[in-house]
Amino acid sequence: MRKKQVRLDEDDLRPEYDLSKLNGGVRGKYLERYRAGTNLALFAPDVQAPLELKGHTALIYHVVFSPDGKLLATAGFDNLIKLWEWPSGKEVRTLTGHIGPVYCVAFHPNGTTLASGSLDKTIRLWNLADGKLIREIKGHTDIVDSIAFNQASRVASAPGAVLLASGSSDKSIRIWNPDDGKEVKNLGMQPGTVYSVAFSPDGKWLASAGVPEPGSPAAGANQPKPSDKKPAAPPAPASGVKLWDTSNWKESKSLQGHEGPVTGVLFTQDSTGLFSIGMMDRTVRLWKVADGKETKKMGPTPDDLYGLALSRDGKSLATCGYGGHLIVWSLTDGKPAWSHKLPYVTYCLAFTPDGKSLVTGHDKPYVCLITSLSMHGNAK
C-alpha cells in the first residue's frame, strides 16, 4: 500500500518541525516570521567576538566603545584611529590626519562624532558616517593626553550644551565647545601632566588626574603663621586628583592619598563616588565626592597601573597594569574577584558592552586582545 502523501503549502512546515510544539521552548535568537499565519522563523546565530584585533602598526594606547556598543575605537602610536564593528571585530574605517601618535579617543554622546587627542598637540573631531574630519582644535602646547565629553548636556554652567574637556602634558586642563572648536575655559596650570579627565554622569563635576608637584602644599591646606611657636609640620604633597565644580569651573576638592602620579579617574554611575588609580603606588582608590574623603583602598597590584574601566551596569571595576595583569575588583570588599596575566605590555582596557570580556591595547605585537572573563583568569 502506498503511503498517503500530505500536501504542504509553500510556507508550511511538517508537523514534526513545528517550532511552537517543541518541548523546552526554542533555542536561539528569534528575529521575524516570514509570513503571517505561518510558523516559519528566521534565527540568527550568536556572533562571536574575535580573540584579537590586528591592524595597527604601533602600540595601542586607548580603546573605547560607542554609546550604542556597536563600534570600538582604538588609538594608536602609528598616528591612526581605527573603528571596528562590534561584536564581529571587522575593521570598518581608519581615520587619518594626525601627524603624531594618538593618545586618546572619546565618543560624543550622540554617537555620530569621535574626538581624538595626539602628540601633535591637536584635538580632532571626526564624522563617523564618512570618516571625514569635522574640525581641528588647537590651543594645547604639548601632548593631549586625555579627552572627555560631558553626558546628556548636564553641565551647570552651560545648560543644554555638550562640552569637551582635555588634559595635557602642557599641564593645563581646557574646556571646549565642540560645535565651533572655541575654548570655553582654561582651568589654569596644574603641577604636572594631566593624564586623565572625566565628567560625572550628572554633569556637576569634572575630575582630573595627573602628576603632583613633590613637596608642594596641598590645595587648601592651612599654612602655619609666622608667629606660631611650634615648628611647622612639613607641607603635604599636592594631590594628583582634583574635583572641579562645573557651575563655575573652580577647583572644589583636592583628594589626598595617592603617592606619585595618578593615571586614571572615573565616576560611579550615581556620581557620588570617584575611582582613581596610582601608577607608582599601584593602588585603586574610591573617594566620596561630597567630602573628598577616601572610602576604599584596593591593592597594591603586581605592576604599575595604566588602565581603569567600569562595566556598563556599574557593578564591575577593572584595571590593567604595564606588565599585563588584569584585575576585576569586588566593590563590596575591595579585593580581586578575578585576575589574569597577559603576555604583553598593556596600556588600556575597556569592558565589552555585555560586560563579559575585556578589550586591551598592547605594545608589540600591536594588537587588541579580547579576554573572556569566563574562559580565562582566576575567579576568587
Side-chain angles (χ1 to χ4, degrees), residues 297-309:
K297 178 181 177 181
M298 296 173 270
T301 60
D303 46 15
D304 296 350
L305 288 173
Y306 275 80
L308 178 67

Side-chain angles (χ1 to χ4, degrees), residues 3-15:
K3 186 176 180 180
K4 184 178 179 180
Q5 298 294 317
V6 179
R7 182 180 179 277
L8 296 174
D9 290 334
E10 180 184 357
D11 289 331
D12 284 346
L13 287 177
R14 292 184 179 275

Side-chain angles (χ1 to χ4, degrees), residues 222-245:
N222 294 323
Q223 299 299 309
K225 298 178 181 179
S227 59
D228 288 344
K229 296 180 179 180
K230 294 182 179 180
S239 170
V241 184
K242 294 182 180 181
L243 283 172
W244 307 82
D245 186 337

